[in-house]
C-alpha cells in the first residue's frame, strides 16, 4: 500500500470511529459542515426539534465540534472548574522549621465520558483525568502518600529532583493493587512540571489517564533580584491574586486501542471550552500552566488568537525563554508557562487551539471570553 493510501486509511478510520461512536450514543454528533450533513443527527434531548440554535461563536472553524454535553456529575470533575482547581495538600511544620506539605493520591479505575456519549475506561489519580494539579512552593519538603486502589500496578513518577528510590519506576515506588507508597523529596526546582505513572507498558499507563500538573512556585526570598516576579507566581500572595491563572493539560484518548487517538482535548472533555468559554477579565494578566501528555502523536502545540504571549519553557526561569510568540510546540511531557494580557483588546471571544488542524476538529479547541468585569 502506498504511503498516501496508508495515511488516508488511517485518517478515515480515526474519524470514522468518532462519528460512529457519537451516532451510536444516540444523542450526540459532531456538528458537520459538509453538504447535507445534519448538525443534529441524534434524537436526544440536546437535538430535539425546536431547541435553541447554538451560540454564534460555535460556528467558528466551521462548527466542527461535538454536540451535546458530557455528564460532569457522573465524571466527578468539570473542565470549567478544573482549570482553576489547584490541589495544595495539607501543611505542617517540621522540627527544623521547614514546611512539610502532604498530598494524598489514590489510583482508581474509572469509566469517564470524554465526549458526549463516548465513554473511556480510564485509570485515574483521585478519580479525575488529568489527576489533581498539585501545587507547592520551592524549598518545602513534600510527602506524596500514594495508594493503589486500581486493578494494575501503578506509580507516581515526578519530574523534579529526588533520590533514585523515589523515582516511581519498577523497584522504586511502583506498587501493586492494594499497596501504599510514600514518595518524599524537596520541592525543586521551581517550575511547571508534571507527574505520571511509570508502570509498563508506559504508553498504555500514561494514555489511560495517569498524569497531572506538578507546579512548584518560586520562593521570593531565594530570588532577591526578581522577587516581584517570584511573588506574582506564588499562590496566595496579593501579587499572585492579580493574575488569572489556568491549569491546562493537553491530552488525547485512544478509544479503540489501535495506538492512535480518536479524541483530543485540554483537560479531557472534547470542546468543553468551546461550549463554555473561559472567562477573562480584560485588564488583568493571564498565566497558563500548560503541559502536553498526548501519547502516540509526536507533537502538540498551543496557538493563541489575536494576541501574542511570553513563554517560560518548563517554568524554571523568572524571565521568559521566548518573547512575543503566538504559537509554541510541545512534545510529550514538555510544558511551560504562558503569560499574556487582553487589556488593549476589545472584549469578545478569542480562540485558542493547537495548530495541528486535525486535533481541533477532534476536540482540542477552546475560547476565552474577554469581559470588562465579572458580574
Ligand atoms: Cu499505571
Amino acid at each position: 500500500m502506498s504511503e498516501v493510501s496508508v495515511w488516508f486509511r488511517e485518517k478515515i478510520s480515526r474519524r470514522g470511529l468518532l462519528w460512529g461512536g457519537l451516532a451510536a450514543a444516540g444523542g450526540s454528533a459532531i456538528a458537520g459542515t459538509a453538504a447535507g450533513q445534519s448538525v443534529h443527527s441524534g434524537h436526544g434531548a440536546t437535538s430535539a426539534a425546536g431547541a435553541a440554535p447554538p451560540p454564534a461563536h460555535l460556528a467558528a472553524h466551521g462548527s466542527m465540534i461535538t454536540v451535546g454535553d458530557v455528564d460532569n456529575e457522573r465524571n466527578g470533575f468539570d473542565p470549567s472548574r478544573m482549570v482553576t482547581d489547584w490541589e495544595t495538600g495539607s501543611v505542617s511544620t517540621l522540627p527544623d522549621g521547614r514546611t512539610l506539605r502532604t498530598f494524598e493520591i489514590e489510583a482508581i479505575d474509572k469509566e469517564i465520558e470524554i465526549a458526549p456519549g463516548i465513554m473511556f475506561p480510564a485509570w485515574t489519580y483521585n478519580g479525575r483525568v488529568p489527576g489533581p494539579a498539585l501545587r507547592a512552593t520551592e524549598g518545602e519538603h513534600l510527602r506524596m502518600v500514594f495508594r493503589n486502589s486500581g486493578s494494575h500496578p501503578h506509580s507516581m513518577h515526578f519530574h523534579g529532583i529526588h533520590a533514585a528510590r523515589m523515582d516511581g519506576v519498577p523497584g522504586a515506588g511502583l506498587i501493586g493493587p492494594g499497596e501504599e507508597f510514600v514518595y518524599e523529596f524537596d520541592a525543586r526546582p521551581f517550575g511547571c512540571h508534571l507527574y505520571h505513572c511509570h508502570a509498563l507498558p508506559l504508553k498504555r499507563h500514561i494514555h489511560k489517564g495517569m498524569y497531572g500538573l506538578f507546579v512548584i512556585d518560586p520562593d521570593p526570598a531565594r530570588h532577591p533580584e526578581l522577587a516581584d516576579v517570584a511573588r506574582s507566581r506564588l499562590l496566595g500572595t496579593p501579587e499572585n491574586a492579580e493574575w488569572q491563572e489556568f491549569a491546562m493539560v493537553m491530552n488525547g484518548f485512544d478509544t479503540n486501542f489501535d495506538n492512535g487517538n480518536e479524541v483530543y482535548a485540554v483537560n479531557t472533555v472534547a470542546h468543553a471550552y468551546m461550549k463554555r468559554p473561559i472567562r477573562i477579565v480584560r485588564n488583568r494578566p493571564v498565566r497558563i500552566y500548560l503541559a502536553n501528555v498526548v501519547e502516540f502523536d509526536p507533537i502538540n502545540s498551543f496557538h493563541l488568537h489575536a494576541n501574542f504571549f511570553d513563554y517560560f519553557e518548563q517554568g524554571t526561569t523568572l524571565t521568559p525563554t521566548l518573547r512575543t510568540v503566538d504559537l509554541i510546540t510541545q512534545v510529550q511531557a514538555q510544558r511551560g508557562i504562558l503569560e499574556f494580557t487582553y487589556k488593549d483588546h476589545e472584549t469578545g471571544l478569542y480562540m485558542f487551539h493547537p495548530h495541528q488542524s486535525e486535533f481541533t476538529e477532534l476536540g482540542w479547541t477552546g475560547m476565552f471570553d474577554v469581559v470588562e468585569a465579572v458580574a
Side-chain angles (χ1 to χ4, degrees), residues 43-301:
H43 298 282
T46 55
S47 58
H57 77 269
L58 295 184
H61 275 209
S63 286
M64 293 293 286
I65 70 165
T66 57
V67 171
D69 276 315
V70 305
D71 188 338
N72 292 327
E73 209 163 308
R74 180 178 56 193
N75 271 351
F77 55 87
D78 177 347
S80 292
R81 283 204 279 273
M82 217 175 220
V83 82
T84 53
D85 182 15
W86 299 102
E87 173 57 62
T88 53
S90 58
V91 169
S92 59
T93 304
L94 291 166
D96 67 1
R98 294 173 64 204
T99 296
L100 167 69
R101 196 178 290 272
T102 303
F103 296 92
E104 297 201 13
I105 296 124
E106 185 181 12
I108 303 167
D109 295 356
K110 187 173 178 180
E111 207 170 87
I112 59 171
E113 192 179 11
I114 57 170
I118 298 188
M119 305 303 291
F120 181 79
W123 297 339
T124 75
Y125 291 117
N126 285 3
R128 45 171 278 175
V129 178
L134 308 181
R135 195 148 172 183
T137 303
E138 181 184 16
E140 292 175 339
H141 191 66
L142 304 182
R143 197 170 278 166
M144 312 290 193
V145 182
F146 177 53
R147 268 181 298 280
N148 184 357
S149 302
S151 55
H152 293 72
H154 295 300
S155 76
M156 295 184 78
H157 165 71
F158 289 87
H159 285 234
I161 298 172
H162 49 250
R165 64 197 157 78
M166 294 294 160
D167 203 33
V169 296
L174 176 62
I175 60 168
E179 294 179 350
E180 182 176 302
F181 189 86
V182 181
Y183 305 92
E184 219 172 315
F185 45 85
D186 291 341
R188 66 191 174 113
F190 74 84
C192 175
H193 307 307
L194 77 157
Y195 61 92
H196 58 85
C197 180
H198 219 298
L200 299 175
L202 189 56
K203 65 181 178 183
R204 188 56 57 191
H205 281 254
I206 290 181
H207 116 273
K208 286 280 263 182
M210 305 201 76
Y211 44 75
L213 278 173
F214 172 43
V215 172
I216 300 176
D217 292 334
D219 173 4
R222 294 170 186 238
H223 309 282
E225 72 293 354
L226 287 165
D228 288 352
V229 178
R231 253 193 305 280
S232 90
R233 293 253 297 258
L234 180 58
L235 191 67
T237 64
E239 292 88 345
N240 177 262
E242 274 303 300
W243 287 75
Q244 303 170 93
E245 294 191 326
F246 303 115
M248 294 192 183
V249 176
M250 304 190 285
N251 52 1
F253 297 92
D254 174 12
T255 56
N256 60 353
F257 309 108
D258 67 347
N259 292 338
N261 297 305
E262 280 70 46
V263 175
Y264 296 85
V266 155
N267 296 339
T268 300
V269 177
H271 294 137
Y273 305 121
M274 286 298 285
K275 295 166 187 169
R276 286 170 194 79
I278 297 171
R279 183 76 57 86
I280 285 176
V281 175
R282 194 173 62 84
N283 59 11
R284 285 175 53 204
V286 180
R287 180 180 286 134
I288 297 175
Y289 295 86
L290 179 76
N292 175 40
V293 297
V294 165
E295 193 58 76
F296 310 122
D297 295 281
I299 203 160
N300 205 334
S301 61

Side-chain angles (χ1 to χ4, degrees), residues 275-350:
K275 295 166 187 169
R276 286 170 194 79
I278 297 171
R279 183 76 57 86
I280 285 176
V281 175
R282 194 173 62 84
N283 59 11
R284 285 175 53 204
V286 180
R287 180 180 286 134
I288 297 175
Y289 295 86
L290 179 76
N292 175 40
V293 297
V294 165
E295 193 58 76
F296 310 122
D297 295 281
I299 203 160
N300 205 334
S301 61
F302 186 106
H303 167 53
L304 182 65
H305 273 219
N307 209 343
F308 281 71
F309 55 85
D310 284 349
Y311 187 64
F312 302 70
E313 172 67 34
Q314 306 202 16
T316 47
T317 58
L318 294 174
T319 51
T321 49
L322 282 175
R323 290 181 195 272
T324 321
V325 293
D326 70 356
L327 174 80
I328 55 98
T329 55
Q330 292 184 344
V331 299
Q332 189 184 53
Q334 204 168 355
R335 66 281 180 188
I337 298 173
L338 289 72
E339 291 184 354
F340 53 91
T341 175
Y342 277 93
K343 71 179 170 53
D344 297 325
H345 280 65
E346 298 171 16
T347 57
L349 290 161
Y350 294 92

